[in-house]
């Protein structure tokens, strides 16, 4: 078996599993006033401090959530509601956002009187600061551009983009879900106002994440209740999940430089060998500003779906990068935004490496890929 | 064998896949997404694709421990099945969309894809027997689906596995329960899957708009009423005719003429036909003509004794072989309410011989 889908979810670090199990063995609601509650609260607050330290934020800037999707929704809808006025209803978002941002924006347009300007990207998937500058105006409520793209791995010039937004006095959100553990991520140094992270992409548990939110930034809550998180997010703290999130954030950021170096070397080897074995393959995305674990290709004449099925049958697990909830593959909006036609977009596969990847995974892929490509070419295109 | 199982989310395809796995085949499952708006289709509809059906199909695959994928054939389904359905009604005929789906989607698009991907055959939950390429009726005559599979050619049948033909529906449910498949007691589907509320006339009205026209009595030639669209009628239909009081004898639809939108009605006896002419046939088990056998003229219909001869269709190119042209079927005893657009399926006992689309039906005497 070769797991080449770390961008979908990466295995938990043993230390994070131990931290979760430890905390699970102890009862307690962190809001209770007795000893058990205080013990839980200590775990929650130590986790908050650890996440803050790992990502260059202050503890008070860490709002725990139920993962990346919730953080993105809270940031997009919460910033919009907090800042909307009759003359300020426009949202600026990159055309290559994850659906957690994309669909939240579209929902605001459909139901909350928002308008949207999708920031176009170049062929490598990058948003240029000039494009953002040209789209700015007094009617803009917020800007959201992801740190790194989950499909093609392109890294955005987030610092420069945040500067543009701030020059116009507009808050800037970034979805950094794919960046943590692969790139150096420093909340304060980046200058962004809100940043989404999620545990299961860097060795922590599923279903837990955070929105890092500058202390002065106003956000209207999505979830009302006990007001546990700065009154912006309610719900009893999931103490074990937070302990796991903190352990993973600490280790993943500590190990990031060495992991990134190793992944980039392994990835470059994968890319070289894929292009040698399948000369018609097209390597997508930005060759320089790129997640070290990401390799994304189009295989002209094949459908990504067919390749995935054939590789899966041989124990190699990859992604087309664009499955929706029903499992029906649509041409990726990311690739279409980068200027690919629908047919090429449907011919794509993402190989993503992570902390547990080895050269044997790449060997396993190369053993079956050429045969799969040859067979997939014979499948009638829909 | 390497088999591709089409899982609809219903109990039949689930048990078919389970039996294929137990027989030692290497089985991969696909669910066909046939609707462009998945929530719009009613759950449990035949072979179709509500979200609930997709989830049920995925659950079956997971319980069986086999790979599962969704194949999006919505555009193809719209073109080959739904648009065809509407166009056939617009032309005054009565199509069978399940048959068309088998012919164009399940055993064409899906089968071609499967073979190209390296599978040996597709396995489905249809109730019909298929042994050594010979297609015949299910042992469960109530559930028999050989009529809608008769459009398959020998080469399609050669790459098809139908594990359920030898068992009854009750047994299928029992096998599902024994295997812990959650769909064991899921309701049977009856209606046309892409017409969510079962209102075929309403669906056609939306698709084709109102197309009012006259209702003419065959005997007197008089206009005896009006209709909002001839597509609301099928040969043999009585319900829904708003016509002037006649001589007390009920009237039935005898024929539909799409250009003048004329619906011709007459008495029940006038529905009798003894000759049926068809378009080009598909032989699942080729036979020489003329041929004495039985024929079924609609889904779940009766069988009639008949003699089949070759009929050279008007406009057929010179040199075309007789089998490439249509059939003329002489029925031993008259049949009632034979609708152009339905299939004429020939049987020898329980064995399917072939299928062709009915073009016209007449009483020659
Ligand atoms: C860029 C990006 N944003 C958001 C998400 C959603 O995060 P979660 O799965 O934690 O809801 C993901 C991954 O699924 C992602 O890759």
């Amino acid at each position: 078996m070769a797991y080449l889908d770390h961008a979908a979810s990466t295995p938990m670090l043993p230390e994070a599993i131990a931290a979760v199990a430890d905390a699970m063995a102890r009862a307690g609601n962190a809001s209770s006033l007795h000893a058990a509650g205080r013990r839980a609260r200590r775990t929650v607050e130590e986790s908050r401090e650890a996440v803050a330290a790992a990502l260059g934020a202050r503890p008070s800037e860490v709002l725990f959530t139920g993962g990346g999707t919730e953080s993105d929704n809270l940031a997009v809808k919460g910033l919009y509601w907090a800042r909307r006025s009759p003359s300020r209803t426009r949202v600026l978002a990159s055309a290559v956002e994850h659906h957690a941002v994309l669909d939240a924006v579209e929902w605001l347009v459909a139901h909350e009187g928002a308008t949207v300007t999708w920031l176009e990207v170049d062929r490598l998937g990058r948003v240029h600061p000039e494009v953002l500058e040209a789209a700015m105006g007094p009617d803009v409520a917020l800007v959201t551009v992801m740190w790194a793209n989950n499909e093609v791995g392109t890294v955005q010039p987030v610092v420069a983009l945040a500067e543009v937004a701030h020059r116009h006095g507009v808050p800037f959100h970034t979805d950094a879900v794919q960046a943590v553990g692969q790139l150096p991520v420093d909340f304060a140094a980046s200058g962004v106002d809100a940043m989404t992270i999620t545990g299961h992409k860097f060795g922590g548990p599923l279903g837990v994440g955070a929105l890092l939110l500058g202390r002065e930034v106003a956000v209207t809550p999505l979830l009302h209740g006990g007001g546990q998180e700065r009154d912006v997010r309610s719900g009893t703290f999931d103490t074990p999940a937070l302990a796991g999130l903190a352990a993973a954030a600490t280790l993943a950021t500590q190990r990031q430089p060495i992991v990134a170096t190793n992944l980039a070397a392994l990835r470059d080897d994968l890319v070289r060998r894929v292009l040698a074995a399948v000369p018609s393959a097209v390597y997508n995305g930005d060759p320089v500003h790129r997640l070290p674990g990401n390799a994304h290709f189009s295989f002209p004449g094949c459908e990504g779906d067919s390749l995935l099925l054939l590789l899966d049958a041989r124990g190699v697990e990859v992604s087309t990068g664009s499955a929706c909830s029903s499992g029906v593959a649509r041409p990726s909006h990311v690739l279409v935004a980068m200027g690919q036609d629908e047919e090429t977009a449907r011919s794509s596969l993402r190989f993503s490496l992570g902390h547990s990847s080895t050269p044997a995974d790449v060997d396993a892929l190369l053993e079956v890929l050429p045969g799969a490509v040859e067979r997939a070419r014979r499948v009638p295109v829909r | 064998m390497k088999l591709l199982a089409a899982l609809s989310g219903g109990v039949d395809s689930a048990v078919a896949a389970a039996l294929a796995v137990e027989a030692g085949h290497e089985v991969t499952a696909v669910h066909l997404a046939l609707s462009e708006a998945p929530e719009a289709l009613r759950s449990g509809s035949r072979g179709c694709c509500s979200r609930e059906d997709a989830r049920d199909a995925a659950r079956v695959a997971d319980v069986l421990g086999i790979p599962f994928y969704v194949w999006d054939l919505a555009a193809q389904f719209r073109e080959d099945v739904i648009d065809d359905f509407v166009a056939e009604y617009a032309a005054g005929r009565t199509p069978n969309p399940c048959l068309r789906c088998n012919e164009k989607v399940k055993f064409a698009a899906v089968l071609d894809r499967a073979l190209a991907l390296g599978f040996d055959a597709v396995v489905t939950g249809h109730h019909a027997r298929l042994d050594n390429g010979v297609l015949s009726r299910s042992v469960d005559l109530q559930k028999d689906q050989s009529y809608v599979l008769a459009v398959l050619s020998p080469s399609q049948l050669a790459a098809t596995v139908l594990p359920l033909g030898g068992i009854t529906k009750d047994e299928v449910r029992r096998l599902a329960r024994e295997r812990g498949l959650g769909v064991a007691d899921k309701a049977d589907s009856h209606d046309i899957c892409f017409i969510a509320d079962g209102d075929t006339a309403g669906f056609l009205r939306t698709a084709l708009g109102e197309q009012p026209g006259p209702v003419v009595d065959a005997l007197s030639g008089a206009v005896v009423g009006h209709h909002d669209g001839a597509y609301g009628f099928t040969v043999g239909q009585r319900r829904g005719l708003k016509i002037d009081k006649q001589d007390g004898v009920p009237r039935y639809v005898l024929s539909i003429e799409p250009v003048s939108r004329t619906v011709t009605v007459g008495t029940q006896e006038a529905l009798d036909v003894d000759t049926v002419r068809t378009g080009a046939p598909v032989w699942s088990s080729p036979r020489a003509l003329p041929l004495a056998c039985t024929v079924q003229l609609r889904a779940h219909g009766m069988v009639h004794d008949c003699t089949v001869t070759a009929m050279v269709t008007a406009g057929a190119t010179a040199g075309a072989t007789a089998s490439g042209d249509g059939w003329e079927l002489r029925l031993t005893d008259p049949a009632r309410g034979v609708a152009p657009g339905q299939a004429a399926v020939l049987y020898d006992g329980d064995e399917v011989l072939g299928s062709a689309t009915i073009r016209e039906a007449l009483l020659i005497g």
Side-chain angles (χ1 to χ4, degrees):
Chain A
M1 290 296 267
Y3 185 72
L4 292 161
D5 202 12
H6 288 262
S9 197
T10 200
M12 274 182 77
L13 297 166
E15 294 86 345
I17 296 173
V20 173
D22 260 15
M24 271 190 167
R26 293 190 300 270
N29 180 326
S31 302
S32 301
L33 301 179
H34 44 61
R38 289 194 295 277
R39 208 164 45 231
R41 188 162 73 235
R42 180 172 170 189
T43 303
V44 169
E45 294 311 319
E46 284 176 358
S47 300
R48 194 187 305 282
E49 286 158 14
V51 170
L55 297 169
R58 299 169 203 265
S60 62
E61 292 173 323
V62 177
L63 301 183
F64 291 124
T65 68
T69 301
E70 187 193 332
S71 295
D72 282 343
N73 273 267
L74 177 59
V76 170
K77 295 174 186 168
L79 285 169
Y80 176 78
W81 283 327
R83 286 184 32 90
R84 127 176 98 178
S85 72
S87 59
R88 196 158 63 205
T89 57
R90 197 151 58 98
V91 178
L92 302 187
S94 91
V96 295
E97 293 301 306
H98 187 272
H99 275 288
V101 168
L102 213 63
D103 293 12
V105 171
E106 284 184 340
W107 183 85
L108 289 175
V109 171
H111 299 283
E112 293 292 306
T115 57
V116 58
T117 302
W118 299 110
L119 302 169
E120 64 176 53
V121 298
D122 64 18
R123 299 192 76 80
L124 305 180
R126 300 251 293 177
V127 177
H128 290 263
E130 308 83 76
V131 169
L132 176 58
E133 181 65 57
M136 289 304 310
D139 60 336
V140 174
L142 73 127
V143 179
T144 176
V145 179
M146 68 204 316
W147 194 297
N149 184 267
N150 47 300
E151 288 184 38
V152 296
T154 299
V155 178
Q156 300 294 350
V158 165
V159 174
L161 294 168
E163 268 173 30
V164 173
H166 289 162
R167 226 180 294 128
H168 293 265
V170 176
F172 185 93
H173 165 252
T174 189
D175 175 341
V177 159
Q178 294 287 337
V180 176
Q182 299 230 349
L183 302 170
V185 173
D186 187 308
F187 178 70
S190 73
V192 306
D193 301 285
M195 176 192 288
T196 293
I197 67 162
T198 188
H200 72 109
K201 308 285 184 175
F202 55 78
L206 291 145
V208 62
L211 183 67
L212 308 192
L213 186 68
R215 284 179 301 174
E216 308 301 320
V217 184
V219 163
T220 302
L222 291 178
L223 304 182
H224 298 89
Q228 284 86 345
E229 288 290 67
R230 270 170 61 179
D231 274 341
V232 172
R233 203 267 188 182
S234 292
T236 299
F237 290 110
D238 184 348
T239 311
L242 299 182
L245 181 76
T250 303
L251 288 172
T253 51
Q254 256 168 28
R255 295 173 184 168
Q256 182 273 328
I258 179 105
V259 165
T261 308
N262 293 341
L263 286 186
L266 197 56
R267 189 269 321 273
D268 291 346
D269 184 47
L270 182 156
V271 172
R272 243 189 328 271
R273 289 170 65 185
V274 167
L275 291 173
V278 186
S280 62
V282 179
Y283 188 43
N284 297 312
D286 193 316
V288 180
H289 305 104
R290 185 180 197 108
L291 290 171
N294 175 287
H296 188 283
F297 294 91
S298 298
F299 295 96
C302 302
E303 282 187 4
D305 284 357
S306 300
L307 287 171
L308 189 153
L309 181 153
L310 292 163
L311 295 178
D312 188 15
R314 305 291 303 275
V316 175
E317 299 176 323
V318 304
S319 165
T320 55
S322 60
C324 84
S325 59
S326 64
V328 172
R330 301 264 173 248
S332 148
H333 66 280
V334 174
L335 297 172
V336 171
M338 288 162 63
Q340 285 198 1
D341 58 78
E342 284 206 2
E343 196 180 317
T344 315
R346 279 183 189 279
S347 76
S348 305
L349 278 191
R350 176 186 72 187
F351 310 119
S352 55
L353 308 173
H355 63 86
S356 58
S357 296
T358 66
D361 296 328
V362 179
D363 293 343
L365 170 67
L366 267 300
E367 202 167 295
V368 299
L369 182 70
V373 168
E374 185 164 331
R375 189 164 262 303
R377 284 211 186 100
R378 286 187 244 145
V379 175
V381 174
R382 273 170 282 173
Chain B
M1 283 199 285
K2 281 181 68 174
L3 297 181
L4 187 83
L7 289 185
S8 67
V11 64
D12 293 322
S13 57
V15 171
L19 294 177
V21 170
E22 288 162 22
H25 298 299
E26 184 185 333
V27 183
T28 295
V30 293
H31 176 72
L32 307 180
L34 300 180
S35 168
E36 280 153 342
E39 36 309 40
L41 294 186
R42 171 199 289 182
S43 166
S45 296
R46 181 185 298 139
C48 228
C49 42
S50 70
R51 275 176 201 278
E52 191 176 50
D53 292 331
R55 179 181 179 278
D56 287 344
R59 282 287 296 135
V60 167
D62 293 347
V63 170
L64 298 179
I66 58 178
F68 174 82
Y69 306 97
V70 176
W71 283 1
D72 179 6
L73 291 164
Q76 183 133 25
F77 186 75
R78 162 155 293 285
E79 217 168 279
D80 286 333
V81 180
I82 302 179
D83 289 352
D84 174 79
F85 179 82
V86 172
E88 283 290 288
Y89 267 106
R93 295 187 285 266
T94 306
N96 183 320
C98 300
L99 185 157
R100 197 64 62 226
C101 178
N102 285 333
E103 179 190 15
K104 300 279 192 179
V105 180
K106 289 196 182 136
F107 298 93
V110 174
L111 179 58
D112 289 349
R113 236 179 131 65
L115 295 178
L117 284 167
F119 293 95
D120 299 307
V122 296
V123 51
T124 75
H126 286 102
H127 285 268
R129 270 179 292 162
L130 180 57
D131 303 306
N132 299 319
V134 176
L135 181 67
S136 50
R137 291 193 194 273
S138 166
V139 296
D140 188 337
L141 290 177
Q142 292 293 320
K143 293 289 168 189
D144 174 48
Q145 291 174 303
S146 60
Y147 178 84
V148 289
L149 293 172
V151 277
L152 304 188
S153 68
S155 67
Q156 289 170 313
L157 291 171
T160 298
V161 175
L162 304 178
L164 303 189
I167 56 179
T168 64
K169 182 76 181 212
D170 287 345
E171 287 173 288
V172 169
R173 292 199 182 280
R174 180 176 55 76
L175 294 176
R177 269 191 296 275
E178 282 171 11
R179 284 158 180 75
L181 299 175
V183 293
D185 296 308
K186 197 166 164 178
D188 268 3
S189 50
H190 296 292
D191 306 86
I192 297 170
C193 69
F194 53 86
I195 301 179
D197 55 5
D199 177 11
T200 303
F203 175 84
L204 290 166
R205 202 177 311 120
T206 307
L208 295 168
E210 292 214 340
Q211 299 188 354
V215 179
V216 172
D217 192 76
L219 275 184
S220 63
V223 173
V224 291
H226 294 275
H227 61 78
D228 297 336
Y231 48 73
F233 299 97
T234 293
V235 172
Q237 181 173 337
R238 181 183 172 197
R239 211 162 37 92
L241 278 173
K242 290 184 233 80
I243 51 179
D244 305 339
K245 262 241 162 323
Q246 301 300 306
D247 40 22
V249 182
R251 293 298 197 270
Y252 297 82
V253 174
L254 298 185
S255 65
I256 298 155
E257 203 291 298
V259 177
S260 62
R261 301 172 182 170
T262 303
V263 173
T264 303
V265 299
T267 59
Q268 195 168 24
E269 295 72 47
L271 283 170
D272 285 352
V273 299
D274 59 9
T275 303
V276 174
R277 293 183 180 144
T278 74
V282 176
W283 286 101
S284 30
S285 180
R287 297 290 161 96
L289 300 183
L291 168 70
C293 60
T294 59
V295 63
Q296 184 177 327
L297 297 165
R298 74 169 88 119
H300 314 294
M302 298 169 41
V303 295
H304 307 270
D305 288 323
C306 71
T307 307
V308 187
T309 54
M311 178 190 65
V312 178
T313 45
T317 52
T321 62
S323 67
D325 303 319
W327 290 327
E328 180 163 290
L329 310 171
R330 292 301 300 249
L331 308 180
T332 310
D333 299 309
R336 210 158 253 187
V338 177
Q342 297 277 295
V345 175
L346 306 186
Y347 288 86
D348 176 359
D350 282 343
E351 183 186 341
V352 174
L353 303 182
S355 169
T357 304
I358 298 169
R359 290 280 164 248
E360 57 177 343
L362 21 146
L363 186 68
I364 290 177

